[in-house]
Amino acid sequence: MAERPEDLNLPNAVITRIIKEALPDGVNVSKEARRAISQAASVFVLYATSCANNFAMKAKRKTLNAGDVMSAMEEMEFERFLQPLREALEAYKKGQKGKKEASEQKRKDKEKKNGTDENDKSRDEEEDEHMDDEQEGENEGEEEDVEN
Amino acid sequence: MSDRNMEDKVEQATNSKNISLPMSRVRLIMKSSPDVSCINQDALFLTTKATELFVQHLALSSYKNGSGKGTNTLSYSDLARAAEESETFQFLTDILPKKILARDYLKSLEEMDKDDDNL
């Protein structure tokens, strides 16, 4: 899993950008402070995970779900995050659904094309296969979460 | 080809609206905890988003209550103070210890010794 210790750090560039966006313009953040916030964020992930895991264990579940994370936030006294998190999750789910629908639509369009255009069939099939591979790859990623 | 590029761009734009931290990395950190077996996609997304909110919240509240407001800087001591004083950041005291001078530390050691002698 984590082969090098630095794999457990969050990317500094992204952390720095988030800090800059949160603070008023023109505020300098010392290097030491940036590193400290980055470490704090990693500890936050672990703390939230362990809280959420307790809720999952109490319910005799093996898989952490969205409700567990929300309960963890309450327990950690980060109630202020609940509302923005709910909104973000909704937007995220919508995005995921939209992506799926878009690729399905594309597939249908392609099938139609195949029906009418016999000459290009072999080439299109190749492309279709390629698309299938990609989708399987995506699904595998999702299944992994459920099985492990 | 250009079609695909466009898609990538759209995807990037929608992603940046949602989260900027990589979910794969967050999952790696979550899985480094020994008693966690599986994490569903929504839980992973929420934890990633919560971490971003946390970073913003920690930075902003440390800055607001910190000493660097006049000089427009956020320094380590502001963060250490936030960890010490705020209830919600208490869990950070271990990784954000207050810096003290070696001579103050030695002094406190001496005092502890004295206390022990008195007991």
Side-chain angles (χ1 to χ4, degrees):
Chain A
M1 283 259 86
E3 276 154 21
R4 296 164 301 163
E6 60 265 34
D7 284 346
L8 297 183
N9 293 339
L10 293 160
N12 279 322
V14 184
I15 293 285
T16 305
R17 197 171 71 222
I18 299 173
I19 299 171
K20 289 258 168 195
E21 278 168 8
L23 294 175
D25 281 345
V27 174
N28 287 313
V29 184
S30 77
K31 212 175 168 189
E32 217 179 4
R34 263 182 289 170
R35 225 194 48 195
I37 292 178
S38 177
Q39 282 171 350
S42 289
V43 172
F44 174 85
V45 173
L46 286 173
Y47 182 30
T49 306
S50 124
C51 278
N53 199 49
N54 283 343
F55 284 105
M57 278 193 338
K58 256 186 232 157
K60 302 215 162 101
R61 274 182 288 102
K62 274 191 173 173
T63 306
L64 293 192
N65 65 27
D68 297 329
V69 178
M70 294 304 248
S71 308
M73 289 302 127
E74 262 178 272
E75 187 165 287
M76 293 160 76
E77 293 179 49
F78 287 113
E79 287 96 348
R80 57 168 67 227
F81 295 169
L82 291 178
Q83 192 50 35
L85 283 178
R86 262 183 226 120
E87 283 163 17
L89 181 63
E90 211 167 287
Y92 173 69
K93 277 182 171 170
K94 249 182 215 159
Q96 295 289 89
K97 213 178 148 201
K99 244 196 258 170
K100 247 179 215 166
E101 273 167 10
S103 68
E104 254 165 47
Q105 187 62 43
K106 226 174 150 190
R107 183 178 297 228
K108 269 181 203 160
D109 286 351
K110 226 163 218 175
E111 273 168 17
K112 246 187 228 165
K113 220 173 155 193
N114 283 350
T116 53
D117 205 343
E118 287 281 330
N119 291 343
D120 274 339
K121 206 179 172 191
S122 57
R123 200 187 52 135
D124 275 348
E125 258 171 10
E126 249 171 53
E127 270 180 28
D128 263 349
E129 261 171 46
H130 182 65
M131 251 179 72
D132 283 346
D133 281 348
E134 253 183 22
Q135 277 207 326
E136 265 169 37
E138 262 183 44
N139 288 343
E140 254 168 29
E142 275 165 28
E143 270 165 29
E144 184 196 46
D145 292 334
V146 182
E147 276 169 17
N148 286 345
Chain B
M1 207 54 209
S2 67
D3 204 2
R4 177 139 291 185
N5 279 347
M6 271 278 280
E7 260 175 51
D8 282 350
K9 262 184 199 156
V10 170
E11 209 167 286
Q12 266 170 16
T14 47
N15 278 347
S16 71
K17 236 198 231 166
N18 287 327
I19 43 173
S20 30
L21 284 171
M23 295 218 282
S24 55
R25 185 59 62 90
V26 173
R27 183 188 5 231
L28 208 61
I29 300 174
M30 292 173 87
K31 289 236 174 168
S32 75
S33 164
D35 37 37
V36 171
S37 42
C38 345
I39 306 147
N40 87 12
Q41 197 70 15
D42 290 353
L44 175 60
F45 170 80
L46 280 180
T47 308
T48 310
K49 182 74 192 174
T51 308
E52 291 192 12
L53 294 173
F54 167 77
V55 168
Q56 292 172 351
H57 181 46
L58 175 63
L60 194 58
S61 64
S62 303
Y63 176 68
K64 275 185 178 161
N65 302 316
S67 51
K69 244 181 153 180
T71 52
N72 265 358
T73 46
L74 176 63
S75 61
Y76 177 85
S77 59
D78 299 330
L79 295 166
R81 184 182 299 126
E84 198 182 50
E85 287 175 1
S86 150
E87 186 90 359
T88 46
F89 294 137
Q90 206 93 81
F91 70 97
L92 297 173
T93 40
D94 282 347
I95 61 147
L96 290 173
K98 266 207 148 164
K99 283 189 175 175
I100 60 171
L101 289 173
R103 66 158 184 268
D104 293 341
Y105 177 65
L106 290 176
K107 219 198 229 161
S108 73
L109 274 188
E110 259 170 41
E111 269 162 27
M112 268 162 72
D113 274 349
K114 263 186 218 157
D115 285 351
D116 283 349
D117 289 345
N118 289 342
L119 280 176

